[in-house]
């Protein structure tokens, strides 16, 4: 993939400090770089983020059915004001309420979408449970049903299916490696390292790749699988 070659180029830039090398490569790259942030990242300097070569951002909007990121409005506005394509994401809690309930909560609290060319479709962050059982107490079939419930409800609110953020290991463990989402939901794979590795069933490629949990910018580091024009088309829904 072209972004792997570009990452190798980043690591090979000589005669510069690691930070300056990363800044230079981000600014010169055709493949759009992005970040994802949450309430843990406060007082983000979006001017610096933009100057560092960031083209898009996913911002945590909600979790479960009650949590709303207190930083969301300022983060979303900051990204917008600096010409960064942005979207919201929802951290799934399948253990506390239905997919439909959480999709509605998300869509009404930062997860909306419009074909304005600067808004990415909302993302469902479905991964390891930080509060308890890995699969949130659900069977593989129960988890698949929950995700379909979320995706279909989100689609009914926005006209777009959500991006699905996950890891291959979690997907294999908690959905039985279900292959039924690849034709509707773009994949955002989390795999920290220099290679993506095996993808979950149903997806031939990933649309976004979270390749590191840190960098010169706030939050996690991401890549879009395409060019700037392709990122714009995704935001427009074309």
């Amino acid at each position: 993939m072209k972004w792997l070659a570009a990452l190798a180029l980043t690591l090979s830039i000589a005669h510069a400090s690691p930070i300056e090398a990363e800044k230079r490569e981000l600014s010169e790259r055709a493949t759009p770089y992005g970040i994802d942030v949450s309430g843990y990242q406060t007082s983000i300097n979006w001017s610096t983020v933009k100057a560092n070569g960031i083209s898009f951002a996913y911002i945590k909007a909600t979790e479960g059915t009650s949590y709303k990121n207190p930083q969301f409005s300022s983060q979303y506005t900051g990204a917008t004001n600096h010409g960064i394509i942005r979207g919201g994401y929802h951290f799934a809690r399948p253990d506390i309420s239905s997919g439909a309930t959480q999709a509605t909560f998300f869509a009404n609290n930062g997860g909306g979408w419009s074909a304005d060319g600067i808004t990415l479709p909302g993302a469902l962050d479905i991964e390891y449970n930080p509060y308890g059982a890995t699969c949130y107490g659900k069977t593989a079939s129960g988890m698949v049903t929950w995700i379909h419930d979320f995706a279909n409800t989100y689609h009914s609110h926005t006209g777009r299916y959500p991006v699905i953020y996950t890891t291959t290991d979690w997907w294999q463990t908690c959905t039985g490696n279900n292959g039924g989402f690849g034709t509707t939901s773009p994949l955002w794979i989390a795999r920290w390292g220099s290679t993506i590795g095996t993808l979950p069933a149903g997806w031939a490629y990933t649309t976004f790749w979270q390749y590191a949990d840190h960098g010169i910018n706030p939050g996690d580091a991401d890549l879009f699988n395409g060019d700037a024009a392709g990122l714009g088309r995704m935001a427009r829904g074309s």
Side-chain angles (χ1 to χ4, degrees), residues 78-115:
T80 304
N81 289 344
H82 288 86
I84 295 172
I85 295 175
R86 70 290 186 269
Y89 77 86
H90 173 82
F91 189 87
R93 290 293 308 276
D95 54 329
I96 63 174
S97 60
S98 71
T101 297
Q102 293 190 33
T104 299
F105 179 66
F106 175 47
N108 290 338
N109 292 282
W113 177 81
S114 61

Side-chain angles (χ1 to χ4, degrees), residues 42-50 82 217-218:
T42 59
S43 303
I44 296 173
N45 187 326
W46 289 99
S47 179
T48 299
V49 169
K50 180 69 173 180
H82 288 86
N217 295 293

Side-chain angles (χ1 to χ4, degrees), residues 60 62-65 89-99 102 123-131 136 143 146-147 150 165 170:
K60 183 174 182 177
T62 52
E63 177 175 328
T65 52
Y89 77 86
H90 173 82
F91 189 87
R93 290 293 308 276
D95 54 329
I96 63 174
S97 60
S98 71
Q102 293 190 33
L124 173 65
D125 180 347
I126 185 91
E127 55 169 302
Y128 297 100
N129 181 4
Y131 310 110
Y136 300 87
M143 185 63 74
W146 192 96
I147 298 171
F150 184 100
Y165 168 98
W170 185 90

